[in-house]
Amino acid sequence: MEVESGDLQIVVPGDVVGSTSELQCGQGCFVRGTSIHASVVGKVLVEKSEDKKVTDNNEGGNQPAVLVDSHKPRISILRPQSLVQEVVPKVGDTVTCKVTKVSPRMANVDILCVGPKAVRGNGFRALIRKENVRISEVDKVVITECFRPGDIVRAEVAALGTARSFELTTAKNEYGVITAVCSSSKENMIPISWQEMKCPVTNIVEKRKVAKV
């Protein structure tokens, strides 16, 4: 394998890092449709595979090698320790978080990244209140139809809390669920609208507040 040289790009979960038409999906990535997305915060690494060649077994054996197979480069996301920093969210910051608990009034989450910077340790606790999920029809929001435990969510810090707790909002098109796993197949789901995601294996459709990525 040959590793692509140069500065490595830092990405966070949900970021598009490539296409299946050009790359193989490696560690720290997942496929959604024809796009390859990051599933962890880290640096993009592309490893180039060597072409496989065979030589025609003619008399004298002096025919040039013939290319019979060519592998796509493999893209992976590495998480160097240097990316894990002592960073504290502030109002207006974009954060990546994981849903830990859902109740009728709010979703509890752990903040994993502030921008492209991973948070040390267990991160910061935060919550997304029902009224901060979206801009329109706030009174019709059903939290369990927007988020589920295990979902990876992109949000914005709306207010500072106490004891390492923050209030977040997803009331913009670019905020919401960026990665979700089907409750039946455990496969990564594909967004089909701003409020639905579909399992590519079972075709089950589940409701979410989907981020526009």
Side-chain angles (χ1 to χ4, degrees), residues 32 130 132-142 145-147 151 153 170-178 180 190-198 205-213:
R32 177 181 290 167
K130 180 179 178 179
N132 291 329
V133 171
R134 65 186 187 213
I135 298 174
S136 61
E137 299 182 317
V138 175
D139 57 321
K140 296 182 180 179
V141 170
V142 178
E145 294 182 353
C146 299
F147 310 108
D151 288 354
V153 176
T170 57
K172 292 182 180 179
N173 290 341
E174 62 266 34
Y175 297 142
V177 177
I178 53 178
I190 300 169
I192 56 175
S193 73
W194 67 272
Q195 58 183 353
E196 290 181 324
M197 301 184 86
K198 183 178 181 180
V205 174
E206 296 183 8
K207 289 186 176 295
R208 294 291 198 282
K209 197 289 183 183
V210 181
K212 184 178 180 181
V213 296

Side-chain angles (χ1 to χ4, degrees), residues 88-93 95 111 114 124-127 129 132 156-169:
V88 178
K90 62 182 184 295
V91 174
D93 280 349
V95 296
I111 295 176
V114 179
F124 298 91
R125 293 188 300 272
L127 56 87
R129 297 187 186 276
N132 291 329
E156 183 178 297
V157 179
L160 303 180
T162 58
R164 292 173 64 91
S165 180
F166 297 82
E167 291 199 20
L168 310 180
T169 177

Side-chain angles (χ1 to χ4, degrees), residues 38-95:
S39 61
V40 296
V41 63
K43 294 185 176 182
V44 176
L45 177 70
V46 178
E47 296 174 300
K48 297 179 179 179
S49 297
E50 294 181 359
D51 294 333
K52 292 182 178 180
K53 298 181 179 181
V54 296
T55 302
D56 187 7
N57 189 24
N58 66 305
E59 185 178 352
N62 55 5
Q63 284 282 4
V66 179
L67 180 66
V68 296
D69 190 19
S70 178
H71 291 290
K72 299 174 186 176
R74 180 182 299 274
I75 188 167
S76 302
I77 309 300
L78 303 181
R79 189 178 182 181
Q81 190 61 30
S82 60
L83 287 181
V84 182
Q85 303 180 26
E86 193 64 53
V87 58
V88 178
K90 62 182 184 295
V91 174
D93 280 349
T94 297
V95 296

